[in-house]
């Protein structure tokens, strides 16, 4: 099993009326985050795709025009009728000029959107900083709340049978023992409304269920 | 190389995992950013990040900066001269006044 020691002890501290000095700062930072609007997502993907496609199409038409030009020269050199090839070249050049214009426009659109995205990243970055700060404050608060009840918790750890071989140390970070031992010690000091449910193997480490119930100072279900 | 910069906690976490799993493709890591090798695999990783975190991921293609090929001589010379100035506390524009070195505002307005 795993047991969230800091979380449990912080909750216990709150039920005992303890507060942490950082809580007001946390509320401020949360407000600030709420006010820092997430920027509207810009659709850069479409702009990137259009710019790339227009570029590729321009290249393709340019190569095609060169090929037709070669064919035109060969046709003329051979003294054959070049009218059809001329028309084909004309059509390709017209299309090329259109696509080249599209390419410039797509490039410009992408540039504009990238500039906007850069500005939007400033506020994304601000939001991330605030979120980091909130996470840090929450950690600090949990830690300092856990400390306020740690002595009491430590007493409960010491009161565990030797079979658990757990040591609370002097501060929340100093705990050395199985998670189940921490959970039992916590159940002893916490004002629990529901009975504590334990596996029979845990009760055995207390000699019997009655000893465990005495340790927990509350109702118990062994399963 | 491909420079990947993240702009959210979730995207940063994914980048960290990607870097941990694909060390051979990561050239350099800087907290919430990383330089990936410019291989198809580097691009694959960048595309995955972009796919998963969209706007919270920025990808730039970088190339080595050659000051002899990309920078006007006057700018390069100004940098050299300023770095060997006699008084370390002299701001650049004061240093450049009355010399041939370009003003910082002029340089700011000129694209490379």
């Amino acid at each position: 099993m795993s047991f969230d020691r800091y979380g449990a002890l912080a909750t216990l501290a709150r039920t005992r009326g303890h507060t942490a000095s950082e809580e007001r700062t946390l509320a401020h930072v949360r407000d600030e985050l709420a006010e820092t609007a997430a920027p509207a997502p810009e659709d850069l993907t479409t702009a990137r795709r259009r710019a790339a496609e227009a570029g590729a199409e321009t290249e393709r038409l340019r190569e095609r025009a060169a090929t037709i030009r070669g064919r035109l020269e060969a046709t003329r050199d051979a003294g054959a009728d070049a009218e059809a090839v001329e028309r084909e070249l004309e059509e390709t050049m017209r299309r090329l000029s259109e696509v080249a214009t599209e390419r410039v426009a797509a490039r410009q659109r992408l540039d504009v959107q990238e500039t906007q995205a850069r500005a939007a990243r400033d506020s994304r970055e601000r939001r991330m900083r605030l979120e980091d700060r909130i996470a840090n404050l929450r950690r600090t608060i949990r830690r300092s709340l856990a400390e306020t009840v740690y002595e009491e918790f430590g007493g409960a750890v010491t009161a565990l049978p030797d079979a658990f071989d757990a040591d609370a140390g002097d501060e929340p970070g100093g705990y050395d023992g199985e998670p189940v031992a921490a959970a039992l010690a916590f159940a002893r000091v916490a004002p629990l409304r529901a009975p504590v449910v334990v596996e029979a193997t845990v009760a055995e480490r207390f000699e019997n269920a009655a000893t465990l119930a005495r340790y927990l100072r509350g109702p118990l279900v062994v399963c | 190389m491909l420079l990947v910069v993240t702009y959210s906690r979730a995207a940063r976490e994914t980048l960290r995992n990607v870097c941990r799993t694909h060390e051979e493709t990561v050239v350099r890591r800087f907290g919430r950013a990383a330089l990936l090798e410019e291989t198809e695999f580097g691009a694959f990783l960048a595309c995955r990040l972009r796919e998963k975190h969209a706007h919270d991921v920025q990808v730039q293609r970088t190339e080595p900066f050659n000051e002899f090929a990309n920078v006007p001589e006057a700018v390069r010379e100004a940098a050299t001269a300023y770095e060997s100035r006699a008084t370390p506390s002299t701001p650049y524009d004061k240093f450049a006044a009355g010399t041939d070195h370009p003003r910082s505002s002029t340089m700011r307005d000129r694209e490379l």
Side-chain angles (χ1 to χ4, degrees), chain B residues 96-108:
Chain B
T99 70
D100 287 341
H101 298 307
R103 297 171 57 85
S104 59
S105 55
T106 313
M107 293 192 282
R108 255 179 222 114

Side-chain angles (χ1 to χ4, degrees), chain B residues 56-103:
Chain B
D56 289 335
V57 174
Q58 176 189 8
V59 184
Q60 299 284 139
R61 212 167 161 179
T62 70
E63 51 185 85
F65 172 65
N66 183 345
E67 70 274 40
F68 300 102
N70 311 126
V71 183
E73 205 178 342
V75 175
R76 244 184 302 133
E77 280 174 357
T80 309
Y82 185 58
E83 282 314 313
S84 46
R85 67 191 176 277
T87 356
S89 58
T90 312
Y92 176 73
D93 281 316
K94 202 172 159 204
F95 170 83
T99 70
D100 287 341
H101 298 307
R103 297 171 57 85

Side-chain angles (χ1 to χ4, degrees), chain A residues 41-44 48 121 124-125 128-129 131-132 135, chain B residues 6-9 12 32 50 55-60:
Chain A
E42 61 287 340
D43 187 12
L44 265 170
R48 276 198 301 268
R121 280 185 200 118
R124 283 180 208 283
E125 177 151 338
M128 185 160 95
R129 289 238 170 90
E131 283 165 2
D132 277 345
Chain B
T6 58
Y7 290 87
S8 73
R9 286 165 63 87
R12 183 177 60 191
R32 40 182 283 236
R50 206 170 230 179
H55 318 289
D56 289 335
V57 174
Q58 176 189 8
V59 184
Q60 299 284 139

